[in-house]
Amino acid sequence: MPKKDTNTPMPSPEEFIREANKKPATEKGKRVTLYLPLATDDELIQLATENNVSKTIILKALLSGFRNMDVNEQNRLLFEAIKNK
Protein backbone atom coordinates (compact mmCIF):
# COMPACT_ATOMS: atom_id res chain seq x y z
CA MET A 1 0.00 0.00 0.00
CA PRO A 2 1.25 3.46 -0.77
CA LYS A 3 2.05 5.67 2.19
CA LYS A 4 -0.24 8.57 2.91
CA ASP A 5 1.38 11.94 3.12
CA THR A 6 0.63 13.05 6.69
CA ASN A 7 2.77 16.16 6.48
CA THR A 8 0.44 18.98 5.60
CA PRO A 9 2.31 22.15 4.69
CA MET A 10 2.19 24.92 7.26
CA PRO A 11 0.69 28.15 5.95
CA SER A 12 2.85 31.21 5.86
CA PRO A 13 2.13 33.84 8.55
CA GLU A 14 0.49 36.03 5.90
CA GLU A 15 -1.82 33.19 4.79
CA PHE A 16 -2.63 32.32 8.40
CA ILE A 17 -3.61 35.92 9.21
CA ARG A 18 -5.59 36.27 5.96
CA GLU A 19 -7.60 33.11 6.77
CA ALA A 20 -8.16 34.23 10.36
CA ASN A 21 -9.51 37.61 9.23
CA LYS A 22 -12.05 36.11 6.83
CA LYS A 23 -15.68 36.40 7.80
CA PRO A 24 -17.31 33.05 8.40
CA ALA A 25 -19.36 31.79 5.48
CA THR A 26 -23.05 31.87 6.22
CA GLU A 27 -26.17 31.09 4.27
CA LYS A 28 -27.95 34.26 5.40
CA GLY A 29 -28.91 35.48 1.99
CA LYS A 30 -27.89 37.35 -1.08
CA ARG A 31 -27.60 41.11 -1.43
CA VAL A 32 -29.88 42.31 -4.20
CA THR A 33 -30.30 45.75 -5.69
CA LEU A 34 -33.83 46.71 -6.70
CA TYR A 35 -34.75 49.77 -8.70
CA LEU A 36 -38.17 50.86 -7.46
CA PRO A 37 -40.25 53.90 -8.28
CA LEU A 38 -39.73 56.58 -5.63
CA ALA A 39 -43.37 56.33 -4.54
CA THR A 40 -43.00 52.58 -3.98
CA ASP A 41 -39.85 53.08 -1.92
CA ASP A 42 -41.63 55.78 0.10
CA GLU A 43 -44.46 53.33 0.80
CA LEU A 44 -41.95 50.68 1.91
CA ILE A 45 -40.24 53.15 4.21
CA GLN A 46 -43.59 54.25 5.65
CA LEU A 47 -44.72 50.66 6.29
CA ALA A 48 -41.37 49.78 7.83
CA THR A 49 -41.42 52.85 10.07
CA GLU A 50 -45.02 52.31 11.18
CA ASN A 51 -44.30 48.68 12.08
CA ASN A 52 -40.81 49.28 13.49
CA VAL A 53 -39.21 46.73 11.15
CA SER A 54 -36.85 46.86 8.18
CA LYS A 55 -37.90 47.17 4.55
CA THR A 56 -36.60 43.62 4.07
CA ILE A 57 -39.11 42.32 6.62
CA ILE A 58 -41.90 44.21 4.83
CA LEU A 59 -40.88 42.66 1.50
CA LYS A 60 -40.77 39.18 3.07
CA ALA A 61 -44.24 39.67 4.54
CA LEU A 62 -45.62 40.92 1.22
CA LEU A 63 -44.11 37.95 -0.61
CA SER A 64 -45.55 35.55 1.93
CA GLY A 65 -48.99 37.12 1.51
CA PHE A 66 -48.67 36.95 -2.27
CA ARG A 67 -47.80 33.23 -2.10
CA ASN A 68 -50.91 32.55 -0.02
CA MET A 69 -53.24 34.22 -2.54
CA ASP A 70 -55.36 32.50 -5.13
CA VAL A 71 -53.63 32.30 -8.53
CA ASN A 72 -56.31 34.49 -10.11
CA GLU A 73 -55.72 37.18 -7.48
CA GLN A 74 -51.95 36.93 -8.04
CA ASN A 75 -52.46 37.37 -11.78
CA ARG A 76 -54.76 40.36 -11.22
CA LEU A 77 -52.17 42.05 -8.99
CA LEU A 78 -49.36 41.34 -11.46
CA PHE A 79 -51.46 42.75 -14.30
CA GLU A 80 -52.19 45.90 -12.25
CA ALA A 81 -48.50 46.30 -11.43
CA ILE A 82 -47.51 46.00 -15.08
CA LYS A 83 -50.28 48.40 -16.15
CA ASN A 84 -49.23 51.00 -13.55
CA LYS A 85 -45.54 50.72 -14.40
Side-chain angles (χ1 to χ4, degrees):
M1 285 188 116
K3 287 185 176 181
K4 289 184 179 179
D5 185 18
T6 57
N7 294 335
T8 57
M10 291 293 288
S12 70
E14 294 85 14
E15 291 170 335
F16 182 80
I17 291 170
R18 193 175 317 117
E19 286 297 315
N21 286 336
K22 282 186 180 177
K23 290 184 179 180
T26 62
E27 296 293 324
K28 283 181 89 171
K30 177 182 176 181
R31 180 176 290 274
V32 178
T33 301
L34 298 173
Y35 291 95
L36 301 171
L38 292 176
T40 303
D41 188 50
D42 290 342
E43 287 181 62
L44 276 174
I45 291 169
Q46 181 181 358
L47 283 169
T49 303
E50 289 171 359
N51 293 288
N52 199 29
V53 295
S54 68
K55 291 192 293 185
T56 300
I57 298 297
I58 297 295
L59 288 172
K60 287 180 181 180
L62 292 171
L63 183 58
S64 176
F66 185 80
R67 283 190 195 125
N68 291 324
M69 286 182 179
D70 176 46
V71 173
N72 292 325
E73 185 66 12
Q74 288 179 351
N75 289 335
R76 187 189 69 74
L77 289 173
L78 291 171
F79 178 73
E80 287 294 321
I82 291 168
K83 191 169 75 171
N84 295 328
K85 208 175 184 182

